[in-house]
Amino acid sequence: MIRIGVIGQSGEIPAELQRLAYEIGREIALRGAILLSGGTNGVMECVSKGAKEANGLVVGILPGDTMDKANKYIDIPINTGLSFDYRSLILVHSSDALIMVGGGNGTLGELSAAYLNLKPVIILEPSGGWANKVRTMAYDEAYLDERKSTKLDYAQTVKEALDIAFSRVKR
């Protein structure tokens, strides 16, 4: 099964971002892929809820050794014993492609880790946060450095984001 990782901010998020994240989770499940996320709250909880309600498989790559930060929609919690930033590396390496939804500083770090590891990243620009800013700071609007290691993709809709993600996964 294809593993789609979703990266985005934790904590309280606006209603429109909740809706977009929920739709992404739902679409991942409807397409028969596994959803991976950081497993906590915010974007991660909303994508997990969307996937779970569409009968999808939801994996949470959690920081620390306990499940107290896990959202209630996680089917398979993975306790990493690591801090948030190192947990994110496991998420990146375990995903076939990643979708960036909104995002703060942690999400920006995940984007960089994905780029360094040549993982396809699809950025849902209308979701705000860093997702709405990456293109303006990227080399040729598509790379995080002059080496142009792997192209970043941009989507305007949830369906487009998933279409691109599936097209970029090599099986």
Side-chain angles (χ1 to χ4, degrees), residues 99-157:
I99 298 175
M100 182 178 184
V101 184
N105 185 44
T107 308
L108 191 58
E110 291 165 332
L111 171 66
S112 180
Y115 184 84
L116 287 169
N117 288 283
L118 308 177
K119 294 287 184 168
V121 178
I122 299 82
I123 300 166
L124 187 60
E125 287 185 297
S127 60
W130 276 110
N132 192 40
K133 298 175 181 135
V134 171
R135 188 190 299 256
T136 63
M137 59 182 217
Y139 286 81
D140 296 332
E141 296 187 347
Y143 304 95
L144 294 184
D145 65 17
E146 66 282 349
R147 290 174 289 191
K148 299 181 179 180
S149 305
T150 188
K151 185 177 182 285
L152 301 173
D153 290 295
Y154 301 93
Q156 303 307 310
T157 67

Side-chain angles (χ1 to χ4, degrees), residues 22-100:
Y22 178 90
E23 286 181 25
I24 287 171
R26 179 173 170 72
E27 189 69 21
I28 288 169
L30 292 175
R31 293 185 188 213
I34 299 171
L35 167 67
L36 282 77
S37 79
T40 62
N41 55 25
V43 164
M44 296 166 281
E45 184 169 11
C46 293
V47 294
S48 297
K49 181 179 181 183
K52 186 71 173 169
E53 290 182 358
N55 298 312
L57 183 58
V58 181
V59 178
I61 310 294
L62 300 165
D65 290 321
T66 65
M67 293 196 334
D68 61 330
K69 291 180 175 62
N71 71 63
K72 64 184 179 182
Y73 307 103
I74 301 294
D75 293 310
I76 302 173
I78 308 290
N79 295 101
T80 62
L82 302 170
S83 62
F84 283 94
D85 51 343
Y86 287 107
R87 171 270 309 213
S88 293
L89 292 175
I90 294 171
L91 171 63
V92 165
H93 284 279
S94 299
S95 299
D96 296 312
L98 294 110
I99 298 175
M100 182 178 184

